[in-house]
Amino acid sequence: MTDPSPVPVRRKKATRVLSVSHCPPDKSPHAGDTDKVPRGLADLRCHRVQESLLSSASGYSNYRGVLNWCVVMLVLSNARLFLENLLKYGILVDPIQVVSLFVQDPYSWPALCLLLASNVFIVCALHMERRLASAKLSERFGRLLYTLLLFTILCLPVLVVLTVVSITPVGAVFALGVYTMLFLKLFSYMDVNRWCRERRLAQTRALGRSQSVPLIPKANGEVTVKEVMYPGNLMHRDIYYFIFAPTLCYELNFPRSPRIRKRFLLRRLLEMLFIMQLLVGLIQQWMVPTIQNSMKPFRDMDYSRIIERLLKLAVPNHLIWLIFFYWFFHSSMNFVAEIMRFGDREFYQDWWNSETVTYFWQNWNIPVHRWCLRHFYKPMLRRGVSKWAAQAAVFMASAFFHEYLVSVPLKMFRLWAFMGMMSQIPLAWFVGRFLRGNYGNAAVWISLIIGQPIAVLMYVHDYYILNHEKVL
């Protein structure tokens, strides 16, 4: 056999290819305009109509690298300040000293006694509601008794703090904070039960039909949960669940989570313990020396040094405030909610994106905002009060409680916290009127960073003058 004849190979016609380096294919919206750009020159283009990335018109929003750079710079700058503080003052952290902030006399615990006495007001509120539900008390007389009860809740801790010498300022703040929450909770408890009585009278007068049993067994042995109806909610278990629940607004049937997540609970507990130690260390090591060094400029009325100390205090104060926010509103409240299987975990919203002062106050503390909206703001609107007057009244009530929680424990009345809160009204008007977007957000951040140190220095200066300068 002979080999087959070789197949003739057809040679391709050589073509000239023009390559242009660093010129990607044109992706501009005008790439298909053949009338403007000849077809042979389309692959030679490397420019198109576009905006710079840092221009707002570009639509670019991925600034993750810039955010990471800000975090790195913040860590490095604070590390320098921390090292400078250690070299200048040494190690000032003393966890044992924290105990003396709560207890001055080991044989006298007035703050703890106040906490235990709060059970009297809880039981009184429950028994008053039971008598109101059974019509043994009139609505008018019941409201009078509630007014006396709530007034006593606010005045009793003040009387104890001002008369008992052994109570410390920190212990007094803790006790007054608990009594303030108790006041708001029992006010909500009173309102909701009154609404239920009004609804019950409008629907039916048969009291027996409104009774309910929380657990109803089925025929196959399973158990289902039935909603509690008024007045079946008037039980010790119900009111104490509300007292310990991380909310200020009462409901007959709170949303419940299906189970307790042990890992989630453990993470929140570890966060609480670690962050608490971190806060104590930052306050003792960083904030206290700065405040102490600010007393002389205040005494000499050296305004340039006062401003310098104010700006120096702003950084640790704001950092501690942010850490405290995470500790209280995320770690602690989620820990309590998980133990109690409380389903609503919206304790805060994106207040860091606030473009107005009003948006910040509505979203950084959701439990207080809900209470104000439900039991204070909307009832005023229903009575014909204007929105502006109702908002001003809410700020005034908030200013009262801020001053209540600061002036009473320090046993001095300077109204710095009250005026600071009331100044939020013109600030909210100015920011909402003249600033928008990023400028409004920057104004909110500046008010948070600068406003708090001013109040802190004012109170510390006055407290130092009244309690320590005379001794020295």
Side-chain angles (χ1 to χ4, degrees):
M1 296 178 61
T2 60
D3 294 335
S5 60
V7 178
V9 179
R10 181 177 299 177
R11 296 182 179 180
K12 295 183 179 180
K13 189 175 182 180
T15 58
R16 183 181 180 184
V17 179
L18 180 63
S19 60
V20 181
S21 60
H22 305 292
C23 291
D26 186 33
K27 297 181 180 179
S28 66
H30 305 288
D33 297 344
T34 57
D35 296 336
K36 298 180 180 180
V37 181
R39 179 175 298 181
L41 299 178
D43 55 350
L44 298 179
R45 298 184 60 191
C46 62
H47 296 284
R48 59 190 175 94
V49 178
Q50 55 185 337
E51 299 288 343
S52 299
L53 289 184
L54 297 181
S55 301
S56 58
S58 67
Y60 183 80
S61 60
N62 185 10
Y63 295 101
R64 183 183 304 174
V66 178
L67 179 62
N68 292 334
W69 171 79
C70 293
V71 172
V72 171
M73 291 296 295
L74 181 64
V75 171
L76 291 177
S77 60
N78 288 329
R80 184 196 64 81
L81 293 175
F82 181 74
L83 181 60
E84 179 185 355
N85 184 278
L86 286 178
L87 295 176
K88 187 175 182 180
Y89 302 107
I91 299 177
L92 302 177
V93 179
D94 185 8
I96 306 300
Q97 188 182 8
V98 179
V99 180
S100 63
L101 298 177
F102 291 91
V103 180
Q104 183 174 350
D105 185 357
Y107 301 100
S108 178
W109 300 62
L112 180 61
C113 293
L114 277 175
L115 297 183
L116 295 177
S118 63
N119 291 278
V120 176
F121 302 104
I122 298 172
V123 174
C124 287
L126 175 62
H127 285 280
M128 281 195 300
E129 285 297 337
R130 287 179 173 178
R131 282 161 177 75
L132 287 169
S134 58
K136 293 181 180 179
L137 282 178
S138 64
E139 290 291 334
R140 186 174 182 179
F141 188 63
R143 181 164 295 189
L144 176 62
L145 291 179
Y146 255 118
T147 303
L148 294 176
L149 180 69
L150 296 175
F151 182 77
T152 306
I153 290 175
L154 290 181
C155 293
L156 176 63
V158 176
L159 182 64
V160 173
V161 170
L162 296 180
T163 55
V164 178
V165 181
S166 60
I167 191 168
T168 62
V170 177
V173 169
F174 185 75
L176 287 171
V178 171
Y179 270 76
T180 300
M181 289 189 291
L182 181 63
F183 172 87
L184 299 176
K185 283 175 177 283
L186 291 185
F187 192 99
S188 179
Y189 189 74
M190 171 192 68
D191 263 2
V192 173
N193 284 296
R194 177 172 56 84
W195 296 338
C196 291
R197 286 193 299 274
E198 293 174 353
R199 181 175 299 180
R200 182 185 62 171
L201 290 176
Q203 292 178 351
T204 178
R205 295 191 179 274
L207 182 62
R209 293 184 180 179
S210 65
Q211 298 283 358
S212 63
V213 181
L215 298 180
I216 304 297
K218 288 185 177 181
N220 57 2
E222 296 180 356
V223 175
T224 184
V225 178
K226 187 176 181 180
E227 288 191 352
V228 177
M229 304 293 290
Y230 182 84
N233 63 306
L234 302 179
M235 299 182 296
H236 289 87
R237 181 180 62 184
D238 179 87
I239 190 173
Y240 272 98
Y241 180 88
F242 170 56
I243 292 299
F244 287 100
T247 181
L248 299 175
C249 295
Y250 177 69
E251 290 183 10
L252 274 68
N253 299 277
F254 290 105
R256 305 294 293 273
S257 56
R259 61 183 180 87
I260 298 177
R261 297 168 292 178
K262 297 181 180 179
R263 292 184 179 179
F264 180 86
L265 192 68
L266 181 60
R267 286 197 299 268
R268 301 288 84 79
L269 178 61
L270 294 177
E271 284 180 356
M272 290 171 57
L273 297 177
F274 172 76
I275 294 176
M276 177 57 67
Q277 297 297 323
L278 179 62
L279 286 173
V280 171
L282 288 176
I283 292 174
Q284 291 181 331
Q285 186 69 42
W286 198 356
M287 197 167 179
V288 172
T290 305
I291 294 176
Q292 291 176 347
N293 293 333
S294 303
M295 293 301 100
K296 188 177 184 301
F298 265 94
R299 187 166 54 249
D300 300 338
M301 298 304 293
D302 187 352
Y303 295 105
S304 60
R305 295 291 293 175
I306 290 175
I307 295 175
E308 185 268 336
R309 292 297 172 181
L310 175 64
L311 296 177
K312 188 175 182 179
L313 180 63
V315 175
N317 178 83
H318 187 65
L319 182 61
I320 290 171
W321 180 79
L322 289 176
I323 296 174
F324 175 80
F325 167 82
Y326 185 88
W327 175 82
F328 184 78
F329 286 98
H330 186 76
S331 300
S332 300
M333 297 190 75
N334 270 293
F335 179 80
V336 175
E338 193 68 25
I339 290 179
M340 305 186 68
R341 293 175 52 206
F342 187 80
D344 189 0
R345 309 295 176 88
E346 190 183 42
F347 306 124
Y348 56 89
Q349 291 184 356
D350 60 334
W351 56 266
W352 46 86
N353 293 326
S354 301
E355 297 179 1
T356 62
V357 177
T358 305
Y359 186 87
F360 167 79
W361 289 109
Q362 290 175 351
N363 292 277
W364 94 279
N365 190 340
I366 295 298
V368 171
H369 171 67
R370 284 178 177 170
W371 188 94
C372 293
L373 193 66
R374 188 190 195 194
H375 300 286
F376 197 75
Y377 181 75
K378 288 184 177 180
M380 293 184 69
L381 294 182
R382 287 194 291 266
R383 293 177 182 177
V385 180
S386 63
K387 290 185 177 181
W388 186 89
Q391 291 178 356
V394 171
F395 273 105
M396 185 172 295
S398 179
F400 166 78
F401 282 109
H402 276 76
E403 191 65 37
Y404 176 82
L405 293 173
V406 177
S407 291
V408 176
L410 296 178
K411 298 181 182 180
M412 63 179 190
F413 302 94
R414 294 295 186 272
L415 299 179
W416 300 122
F418 184 87
M419 291 188 293
M421 279 300 303
M422 293 306 295
S423 65
Q424 297 293 305
I425 298 177
L427 179 63
W429 175 83
F430 177 81
V431 174
R433 175 74 172 171
F434 299 103
L435 301 177
R436 289 289 187 274
N438 293 330
Y439 297 102
N441 183 253
V444 173
W445 277 113
I446 291 174
S447 66
L448 293 175
I449 296 173
I450 301 298
Q452 293 178 2
I454 294 177
V456 170
L457 286 178
M458 291 295 185
Y459 279 107
V460 171
H461 172 264
D462 294 346
Y463 186 80
Y464 175 81
I465 294 297
L466 291 176
N467 296 276
H468 297 284
E469 194 173 49
K470 294 180 180 179
V471 178
L472 297 176

